[in-house]
Amino acid sequence: MDKNEVMLTGQVLNQPTLSRTKADEPMCRFQIAVSRKEPSKAKDYLDVVVWQPLAGKVGLRLRAGMRISLRGYLRRTSFQGNDGVRHSFTQVIAEEIEDAEEETAQEEIADPDLISGIPMEFAA
């Protein structure tokens, strides 16, 4: 059985950008740096997109420099530019995000108003 699922832990590189689509759906974009398993200490820099309802929470809660863990899937998109050239890119679509610093410190979230470590009052 094929399965498109990713789990990543890394550092948020830029301040997340919260916006709305033409259909008025909230979305949030940011980049994450993830270390490779290899001893070379090389990193991959990945584009992450979060959709509603998590987008509003993430857009207000995450900050550049935070260490996070996320679960989601990869989406490859392609389009033809005005110059007639076909362009393509791959994004991580995040479905769950947690503060990895809290996770590393083994803090447990006991408040039922919290989802994936992000307070509910940050809902869009």
Side-chain angles (χ1 to χ4, degrees):
M1 178 172 144
D2 296 335
K3 190 172 187 178
N4 178 0
E5 183 174 38
V6 296
M7 291 181 280
L8 302 168
T9 299
Q11 186 174 16
V12 178
L13 292 176
N14 57 329
Q15 187 62 34
T17 304
L18 185 58
S19 61
R20 291 193 173 271
T21 65
K22 290 179 184 178
D24 202 36
E25 293 182 27
M27 68 179 290
C28 184
R29 295 177 186 261
F30 61 93
Q31 290 183 318
I32 185 173
V34 180
S35 297
R36 293 185 188 165
K37 202 173 185 178
E38 306 159 359
S40 68
K41 305 276 184 185
K43 292 188 181 228
D44 289 307
Y45 301 92
L46 306 169
D47 294 321
V48 179
V49 177
V50 184
W51 294 97
Q52 63 168 330
L54 189 57
K57 299 169 195 171
V58 167
L60 293 170
R61 173 84 162 67
L62 290 189
R63 298 287 172 254
M66 286 181 75
R67 191 166 139 70
I68 63 168
S69 293
L70 67 81
R71 187 189 66 75
Y73 60 93
L74 297 176
R75 181 176 65 191
R76 183 142 178 95
T77 304
S78 62
F79 64 94
Q80 188 166 350
N82 293 336
D83 56 2
V85 176
R86 181 149 288 308
H87 303 271
S88 60
F89 56 94
T90 302
Q91 298 173 312
V92 176
I93 307 301
E95 298 176 309
E96 295 176 15
I97 297 178
E98 295 181 3
D99 185 337
E101 291 168 356
E102 289 180 12
E103 184 179 291
T104 302
Q106 297 179 344
E107 294 179 13
E108 293 184 18
I109 299 170
D111 187 339
D113 291 333
L114 296 178
I115 294 178
S116 297
I118 300 172
M120 287 298 290
E121 65 261 24
F122 289 111

